[in-house]
Amino acid sequence: MKFRKAGGALRFRVAAALVLLSAAMAANVAIAESPLPVSAGFSQQGLAHVRDYLRHEVAAGKIPGAVLLIQRHGRPVLLEDFGVLDVESKTPMTSDAIFRLYSMSKPITSVAAMMLVDDGKISLDDPLSKYIPAFANVRVAIETSEAAGKKPLATEPLVRPITILDLLRHTSGITYGFYGDSPIRKLYAASGLFDGDFDNARLAERLAKLPLAEQPGTLWDYGHSTDVLGRVIEVVSGKSLYEFEKERLLGPLGMTDTAFTVEDSRRARVAEPLPGDYPVSSVRGLGDPVKRRRWESGGGGMVSTIADYARFAQMLLDGGTLDGRRYLRPETVRLMTSDHVSPETKIARDYFYFPSGDSGFGLGFAVRVVEDPLLPTGEYRWDGAGGTFFFIDPRDDMFAICMMQSASQRGPLQTELKTLIYRALEK
């Protein structure tokens, strides 16, 4: 990287770096005492394009607002707020805004489970029934042409038990009922899974009474696997999912705004979607994490801030350690971020294989396995139905997190923003 020697340029860089550091410290982002030069290997023009893109999306009325963090070598390169928290109140977006994570809860739950693996209290090969006996005799649906009618689904016994590994990589056969129209998904949707004010134990009991969508280990099927994993954590630890995560992960990391509900004193910081954007909370089973309830959904029930999630991402990027404290062994992080559904596993992929064709899936994350001119292999990531997303790139020692609440725009925005970020990175 070339540095200009002109005094004016140097003063500009120092001033910009101080502004960026001040903003990052205010948001409690995981940073060192002094920032990198503002560019940190990024083109200033490229970063301007990133900013302009988000400003345009806000001005065009596509999203209400967003907070974006790009962090490299442990320090922020770009941390900026865009738009508003809520278009009705016109409250400006702030870096401490609280967002519904939905499926960005899954990586947190997966890390919590792998901490117990590191402790020797869980093995990836353990049958799920070791911890939740009701899953010992679960049946597997056989979908036939007759199944589309009113006849009950035919079922068959398990070929092999569901394992903890299956829960982590979404090959348990436990599906979701709020997307797709197959008979088994319709059965899940109509089964009363979410009736009443239930908890993780009750949800697991209800799921164990339903047939699996397919035999364990045969298909990547995005469903309630991580919710059931959350119940396993409770059984093993003797604590609620949140109690365990707060004690072992969230508290030590300083993720003070990450939880399964929002306290009244913090509700003014909650970001809201645009009126008319399809409400994720209306999707059967997802609910609204902002509202109090007993269910602590490890698969989709958390709220967080960009500062909190940055602590989590930096810990993973640093191989399981942050600020001198170890959360996961380096080998465990490598295991989690390796492809566990590669062709050699013979695990099938269907239309609903959300990681996309260029990626496999690890233990809680999609993992890029096909390199293109911009995007490196080894990058791992996930997102949430409300619009939040992140990716971690070990090769370039960086990560990016975008927090927004716009379910309808999350796909196009994630693709375009990621492309712009990598175009701005000077290699």
Side-chain angles (χ1 to χ4, degrees), residues 261-290:
T261 189
V262 180
E263 297 174 2
D264 290 340
S265 61
R266 304 183 185 191
R267 292 207 171 200
R269 292 161 50 199
V270 174
E272 299 293 349
L274 288 172
D277 196 357
Y278 70 81
V280 177
S281 60
S282 70
V283 177
R284 184 74 170 148
L286 280 180
D288 187 344
V290 171

mmCIF file of all heavy atoms in Angstrom, residues 261-290:
data_model
loop_
_atom_site.group_PDB
_atom_site.id
_atom_site.type_symbol
_atom_site.label_atom_id
_atom_site.label_comp_id
_atom_site.label_asym_id
_atom_site.label_seq_id
_atom_site.Cartn_x
_atom_site.Cartn_y
_atom_site.Cartn_z
ATOM 1 N N THR A 261 -34.884 -11.444 24.614
ATOM 2 C CA THR A 261 -35.935 -10.441 24.736
ATOM 3 C C THR A 261 -35.264 -9.092 24.926
ATOM 4 O O THR A 261 -34.038 -9.014 25.079
ATOM 5 C CB THR A 261 -36.872 -10.757 25.920
ATOM 6 O OG1 THR A 261 -38.006 -9.886 25.881
ATOM 7 C CG2 THR A 261 -36.154 -10.581 27.245
ATOM 8 N N VAL A 262 -36.061 -8.033 24.891
ATOM 9 C CA VAL A 262 -35.532 -6.686 25.058
ATOM 10 C C VAL A 262 -36.131 -6.080 26.315
ATOM 11 O O VAL A 262 -37.355 -6.020 26.462
ATOM 12 C CB VAL A 262 -35.871 -5.794 23.840
ATOM 13 C CG1 VAL A 262 -35.311 -4.388 24.041
ATOM 14 C CG2 VAL A 262 -35.310 -6.399 22.557
ATOM 15 N N GLU A 263 -35.275 -5.640 27.214
ATOM 16 C CA GLU A 263 -35.758 -4.981 28.421
ATOM 17 C C GLU A 263 -36.448 -3.670 28.062
ATOM 18 O O GLU A 263 -36.122 -3.027 27.064
ATOM 19 C CB GLU A 263 -34.582 -4.705 29.365
ATOM 20 C CG GLU A 263 -33.877 -5.958 29.868
ATOM 21 C CD GLU A 263 -32.638 -5.625 30.687
ATOM 22 O OE1 GLU A 263 -32.372 -4.420 30.888
ATOM 23 O OE2 GLU A 263 -31.941 -6.565 31.101
ATOM 24 N N ASP A 264 -37.406 -3.278 28.900
ATOM 25 C CA ASP A 264 -38.162 -2.049 28.636
ATOM 26 C C ASP A 264 -37.247 -0.840 28.471
ATOM 27 O O ASP A 264 -37.501 0.034 27.631
ATOM 28 C CB ASP A 264 -39.156 -1.788 29.776
ATOM 29 C CG ASP A 264 -40.298 -2.796 29.789
ATOM 30 O OD1 ASP A 264 -40.527 -3.426 28.733
ATOM 31 O OD2 ASP A 264 -40.948 -2.956 30.844
ATOM 32 N N SER A 265 -36.174 -0.782 29.250
ATOM 33 C CA SER A 265 -35.273 0.375 29.204
ATOM 34 C C SER A 265 -34.515 0.469 27.883
ATOM 35 O O SER A 265 -33.930 1.517 27.588
ATOM 36 C CB SER A 265 -34.273 0.299 30.358
ATOM 37 O OG SER A 265 -33.471 -0.874 30.254
ATOM 38 N N ARG A 266 -34.532 -0.606 27.084
ATOM 39 C CA ARG A 266 -33.773 -0.613 25.826
ATOM 40 C C ARG A 266 -34.670 -0.612 24.593
ATOM 41 O O ARG A 266 -34.163 -0.610 23.469
ATOM 42 C CB ARG A 266 -32.856 -1.838 25.782
ATOM 43 C CG ARG A 266 -31.917 -1.915 26.978
ATOM 44 C CD ARG A 266 -30.961 -3.085 26.901
ATOM 45 N NE ARG A 266 -30.169 -3.188 28.121
ATOM 46 C CZ ARG A 266 -29.114 -3.964 28.271
ATOM 47 N NH1 ARG A 266 -28.719 -4.738 27.276
ATOM 48 N NH2 ARG A 266 -28.454 -4.004 29.403
ATOM 49 N N ARG A 267 -35.975 -0.598 24.786
ATOM 50 C CA ARG A 267 -36.872 -0.747 23.635
ATOM 51 C C ARG A 267 -36.816 0.441 22.673
ATOM 52 O O ARG A 267 -37.101 0.282 21.488
ATOM 53 C CB ARG A 267 -38.303 -0.981 24.111
ATOM 54 C CG ARG A 267 -38.452 -2.337 24.780
ATOM 55 C CD ARG A 267 -39.831 -2.897 24.678
ATOM 56 N NE ARG A 267 -39.841 -4.282 25.160
ATOM 57 C CZ ARG A 267 -40.778 -5.152 24.848
ATOM 58 N NH1 ARG A 267 -41.761 -4.803 24.043
ATOM 59 N NH2 ARG A 267 -40.733 -6.386 25.313
ATOM 60 N N ALA A 268 -36.431 1.604 23.160
ATOM 61 C CA ALA A 268 -36.321 2.764 22.275
ATOM 62 C C ALA A 268 -35.194 2.602 21.268
ATOM 63 O O ALA A 268 -35.131 3.344 20.275
ATOM 64 C CB ALA A 268 -36.104 4.029 23.101
ATOM 65 N N ARG A 269 -34.307 1.631 21.492
ATOM 66 C CA ARG A 269 -33.177 1.396 20.582
ATOM 67 C C ARG A 269 -33.471 0.313 19.546
ATOM 68 O O ARG A 269 -32.600 -0.018 18.739
ATOM 69 C CB ARG A 269 -31.949 0.994 21.396
ATOM 70 C CG ARG A 269 -31.392 2.111 22.269
ATOM 71 C CD ARG A 269 -30.509 1.578 23.380
ATOM 72 N NE ARG A 269 -29.503 0.655 22.863
ATOM 73 C CZ ARG A 269 -28.835 -0.222 23.608
ATOM 74 N NH1 ARG A 269 -29.088 -0.302 24.905
ATOM 75 N NH2 ARG A 269 -27.952 -1.019 23.071
ATOM 76 N N VAL A 270 -34.671 -0.239 19.536
ATOM 77 C CA VAL A 270 -34.996 -1.343 18.627
ATOM 78 C C VAL A 270 -35.283 -0.811 17.227
ATOM 79 O O VAL A 270 -36.116 0.085 17.040
ATOM 80 C CB VAL A 270 -36.198 -2.140 19.144
ATOM 81 C CG1 VAL A 270 -36.615 -3.201 18.120
ATOM 82 C CG2 VAL A 270 -35.858 -2.806 20.480
ATOM 83 N N ALA A 271 -34.590 -1.351 16.229
ATOM 84 C CA ALA A 271 -34.828 -0.977 14.833
ATOM 85 C C ALA A 271 -36.069 -1.683 14.311
ATOM 86 O O ALA A 271 -36.302 -2.852 14.614
ATOM 87 C CB ALA A 271 -33.619 -1.348 13.978
ATOM 88 N N GLU A 272 -36.851 -0.968 13.494
ATOM 89 C CA GLU A 272 -38.095 -1.509 12.966
ATOM 90 C C GLU A 272 -38.068 -1.537 11.442
ATOM 91 O O GLU A 272 -37.421 -0.702 10.812
ATOM 92 C CB GLU A 272 -39.285 -0.656 13.433
ATOM 93 C CG GLU A 272 -39.467 -0.587 14.941
ATOM 94 C CD GLU A 272 -39.872 -1.912 15.560
ATOM 95 O OE1 GLU A 272 -40.209 -2.851 14.813
ATOM 96 O OE2 GLU A 272 -39.834 -2.018 16.807
ATOM 97 N N PRO A 273 -38.780 -2.507 10.831
ATOM 98 C CA PRO A 273 -38.844 -2.562 9.370
ATOM 99 C C PRO A 273 -39.734 -1.465 8.798
ATOM 100 O O PRO A 273 -40.459 -0.782 9.539
ATOM 101 C CB PRO A 273 -39.447 -3.947 9.106
ATOM 102 C CG PRO A 273 -40.267 -4.228 10.319
ATOM 103 C CD PRO A 273 -39.530 -3.601 11.470
ATOM 104 N N LEU A 274 -39.675 -1.304 7.490
ATOM 105 C CA LEU A 274 -40.562 -0.365 6.822
ATOM 106 C C LEU A 274 -42.011 -0.829 6.931
ATOM 107 O O LEU A 274 -42.287 -2.031 6.839
ATOM 108 C CB LEU A 274 -40.198 -0.264 5.336
ATOM 109 C CG LEU A 274 -38.913 0.457 4.957
ATOM 110 C CD1 LEU A 274 -38.645 0.258 3.470
ATOM 111 C CD2 LEU A 274 -39.007 1.941 5.276
ATOM 112 N N PRO A 275 -42.956 0.094 7.103
ATOM 113 C CA PRO A 275 -44.360 -0.299 7.018
ATOM 114 C C PRO A 275 -44.631 -0.905 5.638
ATOM 115 O O PRO A 275 -44.213 -0.368 4.617
ATOM 116 C CB PRO A 275 -45.098 1.031 7.190
ATOM 117 C CG PRO A 275 -44.129 1.924 7.892
ATOM 118 C CD PRO A 275 -42.781 1.512 7.399
ATOM 119 N N GLY A 276 -45.259 -2.056 5.613
ATOM 120 C CA GLY A 276 -45.539 -2.699 4.334
ATOM 121 C C GLY A 276 -44.527 -3.749 3.943
ATOM 122 O O GLY A 276 -44.816 -4.607 3.100
ATOM 123 N N ASP A 277 -43.319 -3.690 4.525
ATOM 124 C CA ASP A 277 -42.377 -4.784 4.305
ATOM 125 C C ASP A 277 -42.975 -6.011 4.964
ATOM 126 O O ASP A 277 -43.568 -5.908 6.036
ATOM 127 C CB ASP A 277 -41.025 -4.471 4.938
ATOM 128 C CG ASP A 277 -39.903 -5.372 4.437
ATOM 129 O OD1 ASP A 277 -40.192 -6.279 3.632
ATOM 130 O OD2 ASP A 277 -38.757 -5.172 4.856
ATOM 131 N N TYR A 278 -42.836 -7.166 4.324
ATOM 132 C CA TYR A 278 -43.539 -8.308 4.904
ATOM 133 C C TYR A 278 -42.979 -8.597 6.294
ATOM 134 O O TYR A 278 -41.781 -8.659 6.509
ATOM 135 C CB TYR A 278 -43.504 -9.535 3.991
ATOM 136 C CG TYR A 278 -42.178 -10.232 3.816
ATOM 137 C CD1 TYR A 278 -41.701 -11.124 4.767
ATOM 138 C CD2 TYR A 278 -41.411 -10.048 2.669
ATOM 139 C CE1 TYR A 278 -40.505 -11.793 4.593
ATOM 140 C CE2 TYR A 278 -40.215 -10.713 2.479
ATOM 141 C CZ TYR A 278 -39.768 -11.590 3.444
ATOM 142 O OH TYR A 278 -38.584 -12.245 3.265
ATOM 143 N N PRO A 279 -43.886 -8.717 7.271
ATOM 144 C CA PRO A 279 -43.449 -8.865 8.662
ATOM 145 C C PRO A 279 -42.955 -10.266 8.959
ATOM 146 O O PRO A 279 -43.715 -11.225 8.891
ATOM 147 C CB PRO A 279 -44.721 -8.538 9.459
ATOM 148 C CG PRO A 279 -45.837 -8.911 8.544
ATOM 149 C CD PRO A 279 -45.338 -8.680 7.134
ATOM 150 N N VAL A 280 -41.693 -10.384 9.298
ATOM 151 C CA VAL A 280 -41.130 -11.691 9.615
ATOM 152 C C VAL A 280 -41.850 -12.307 10.803
ATOM 153 O O VAL A 280 -42.028 -13.521 10.885
ATOM 154 C CB VAL A 280 -39.618 -11.571 9.898
ATOM 155 C CG1 VAL A 280 -39.034 -12.911 10.293
ATOM 156 C CG2 VAL A 280 -38.911 -11.027 8.669
ATOM 157 N N SER A 281 -42.312 -11.452 11.724
ATOM 158 C CA SER A 281 -42.958 -11.975 12.921
ATOM 159 C C SER A 281 -44.264 -12.688 12.618
ATOM 160 O O SER A 281 -44.793 -13.410 13.456
ATOM 161 C CB SER A 281 -43.208 -10.845 13.921
ATOM 162 O OG SER A 281 -44.034 -9.847 13.357
ATOM 163 N N SER A 282 -44.805 -12.481 11.395
ATOM 164 C CA SER A 282 -46.046 -13.166 11.047
ATOM 165 C C SER A 282 -45.792 -14.560 10.486
ATOM 166 O O SER A 282 -46.723 -15.335 10.304
ATOM 167 C CB SER A 282 -46.830 -12.337 10.012
ATOM 168 O OG SER A 282 -46.168 -12.339 8.753
ATOM 169 N N VAL A 283 -44.530 -14.878 10.174
ATOM 170 C CA VAL A 283 -44.214 -16.207 9.678
ATOM 171 C C VAL A 283 -44.402 -17.199 10.817
ATOM 172 O O VAL A 283 -43.819 -17.051 11.890
ATOM 173 C CB VAL A 283 -42.773 -16.274 9.137
ATOM 174 C CG1 VAL A 283 -42.441 -17.689 8.685
ATOM 175 C CG2 VAL A 283 -42.593 -15.306 7.986
ATOM 176 N N ARG A 284 -45.184 -18.207 10.576
ATOM 177 C CA ARG A 284 -45.579 -19.129 11.635
ATOM 178 C C ARG A 284 -44.362 -19.706 12.357
ATOM 179 O O ARG A 284 -43.491 -20.330 11.752
ATOM 180 C CB ARG A 284 -46.389 -20.274 11.010
ATOM 181 C CG ARG A 284 -46.944 -21.277 12.020
ATOM 182 C CD ARG A 284 -48.108 -20.708 12.774
ATOM 183 N NE ARG A 284 -48.778 -21.746 13.563
ATOM 184 C CZ ARG A 284 -49.371 -21.496 14.710
ATOM 185 N NH1 ARG A 284 -49.377 -20.284 15.202
ATOM 186 N NH2 ARG A 284 -49.975 -22.467 15.373
ATOM 187 N N GLY A 285 -44.283 -19.454 13.647
ATOM 188 C CA GLY A 285 -43.222 -20.044 14.448
ATOM 189 C C GLY A 285 -42.082 -19.110 14.769
ATOM 190 O O GLY A 285 -41.403 -19.294 15.779
ATOM 191 N N LEU A 286 -41.830 -18.103 13.923
ATOM 192 C CA LEU A 286 -40.710 -17.218 14.213
ATOM 193 C C LEU A 286 -41.036 -16.260 15.348
ATOM 194 O O LEU A 286 -40.215 -15.990 16.202
ATOM 195 C CB LEU A 286 -40.323 -16.423 12.966
ATOM 196 C CG LEU A 286 -39.476 -17.155 11.937
ATOM 197 C CD1 LEU A 286 -39.168 -16.242 10.763
ATOM 198 C CD2 LEU A 286 -38.175 -17.640 12.546
ATOM 199 N N GLY A 287 -42.256 -15.740 15.335
ATOM 200 C CA GLY A 287 -42.616 -14.799 16.381
ATOM 201 C C GLY A 287 -41.770 -13.546 16.323
ATOM 202 O O GLY A 287 -41.061 -13.290 15.354
ATOM 203 N N ASP A 288 -41.844 -12.743 17.350
ATOM 204 C CA ASP A 288 -41.087 -11.498 17.430
ATOM 205 C C ASP A 288 -40.196 -11.545 18.660
ATOM 206 O O ASP A 288 -40.683 -11.517 19.791
ATOM 207 C CB ASP A 288 -42.042 -10.318 17.519
ATOM 208 C CG ASP A 288 -41.314 -8.978 17.423
ATOM 209 O OD1 ASP A 288 -40.080 -8.965 17.601
ATOM 210 O OD2 ASP A 288 -41.973 -7.964 17.171
ATOM 211 N N PRO A 289 -38.884 -11.622 18.478
ATOM 212 C CA PRO A 289 -37.979 -11.713 19.633
ATOM 213 C C PRO A 289 -38.068 -10.540 20.597
ATOM 214 O O PRO A 289 -37.599 -10.640 21.732
ATOM 215 C CB PRO A 289 -36.595 -11.780 18.977
ATOM 216 C CG PRO A 289 -36.836 -12.262 17.603
ATOM 217 C CD PRO A 289 -38.170 -11.705 17.205
ATOM 218 N N VAL A 290 -38.628 -9.424 20.161
ATOM 219 C CA VAL A 290 -38.732 -8.273 21.045
ATOM 220 C C VAL A 290 -39.776 -8.525 22.138
ATOM 221 O O VAL A 290 -39.690 -7.981 23.233
ATOM 222 C CB VAL A 290 -39.092 -7.009 20.224
ATOM 223 C CG1 VAL A 290 -39.420 -5.834 21.141
ATOM 224 C CG2 VAL A 290 -37.915 -6.639 19.310
#
